[in-house]
Amino acid sequence: MSSPLRKPFIAGNWKMHLTLAESLALAKEVAAGCAEGGPDVALCVPFTAVAAVAEALKGRPILVGGQDLHWEPQGAFTGEVAGRQLADAGCRVAIIGHSERRRCFGETDETVNKKIKAALGADLIPIVCVGETLDEREQQKTYRVLETQIRGAFMNFAPDELARVIIAYEPVWAIGTGKTAAPAQAQDAHTFIRKYVARSLQEKLAAGMRILYGGSVKADNVDALMAEPDLDGALVGGESLKAANFLRIIRFKAAAPGIGQAR
Ligand code: PGA
């Protein structure tokens, strides 16, 4: 169970799925089952659906997010979308540096760094993704990879500029594979990340920073993951496309009754 300093955050990442009509239907189904007083919830929808979903969710306790943004506020960058355009369309959140963007579109720690700056400048909450590949884990390089990615992402920021930033630890080998990190494995990576942020930036920033886990989060593993003290939420891909399953994830129980404190 995460610290009271950090409100749990559950974000759905719809990736390149759903038409406009399908997006609206899913957003409304999620909203209908989403009560006040739960965790913070965000839906990171395709760019084509941002404005309509944001309009449909007005007044509901759900944030709308983009899945990426460009680092410049405007300009001749065919095919790109700027933070201010996302904010203008109703976004409050932006995913940055997802492993699919790093792998398929050549994103680097340097572009991640520039995108965090752009997102904060547009008043968006950045969800910054980090995580090792299977190869890197097997070669005992997990900590080194996480440290390099976080150092690069947060380069030249002062601690107080990063207060709204959320990190998502997403081991690449667990994304879309059905292989979830064991809760203790995820906790170990989250502790490492929090300690590294404390050591390299500031203790207070690290204590308040929300670190989400992502990679095959499902209704039947979310409770065990969220029972770990340094897991502050989840970034959910495939299961966020099914309203009932995503709603069950939002209603996670941080510990089984009788074992610890039930939520
Ligand atoms: P998954 O995706 O839940 O389908 O594994 C997670 C993500 O890519 O953010």
Side-chain angles (χ1 to χ4, degrees), residues 199-214:
R199 194 167 79 234
S200 61
L201 282 148
Q202 190 191 63
E203 190 89 39
K204 187 171 127 225
L205 173 72
M209 186 168 268
R210 290 185 283 190
I211 306 177
L212 318 183
Y213 168 77

Side-chain angles (χ1 to χ4, degrees), residues 86-249:
L86 286 178
D88 178 54
C91 274
R92 305 277 311 281
V93 174
I95 297 175
I96 296 176
H98 190 282
S99 63
E100 287 153 14
R101 299 237 31 111
R102 292 178 191 256
R103 192 181 70 237
C104 309
F105 303 102
E107 298 223 357
T108 62
D109 296 332
E110 196 189 336
T111 61
V112 168
N113 177 261
K114 293 202 268 189
K115 288 180 178 195
I116 296 173
K117 207 167 187 70
L120 292 171
D123 220 13
L124 299 169
I125 300 169
I127 300 180
V128 181
C129 302
V130 295
E132 80 288 358
T133 62
L134 185 58
D135 233 33
E136 289 162 343
R137 173 163 283 267
E138 283 173 353
Q139 292 175 44
Q140 328 286 335
K141 288 187 185 156
T142 300
Y143 292 161
R144 207 181 317 159
V145 169
L146 295 176
E147 188 171 317
T148 305
Q149 290 177 337
I150 293 168
R151 187 190 312 119
F154 292 168
M155 185 85 74
N156 298 325
F157 279 104
D160 57 348
E161 293 178 284
L162 296 170
R164 296 170 57 225
V165 172
I166 294 174
I167 293 181
Y169 168 61
E170 297 207 305
V172 178
W173 48 272
I175 296 176
T177 57
K179 277 189 216 143
T180 320
Q185 241 173 356
Q187 166 64 19
D188 181 69
H190 285 227
T191 310
F192 175 82
I193 292 169
R194 201 178 303 288
K195 284 191 177 151
Y196 179 69
V197 172
R199 194 167 79 234
S200 61
L201 282 148
Q202 190 191 63
E203 190 89 39
K204 187 171 127 225
L205 173 72
M209 186 168 268
R210 290 185 283 190
I211 306 177
L212 318 183
Y213 168 77
S216 300
V217 174
K218 304 185 196 81
D220 65 7
N221 59 27
V222 68
D223 296 347
L225 287 163
M226 289 301 292
E228 295 293 340
D230 280 292
L231 270 70
D232 308 314
L235 180 54
V236 186
E239 294 297 286
S240 71
L241 296 169
K242 304 165 196 155
N245 297 13
F246 187 60
L247 285 167
R248 172 62 184 82
I249 290 170

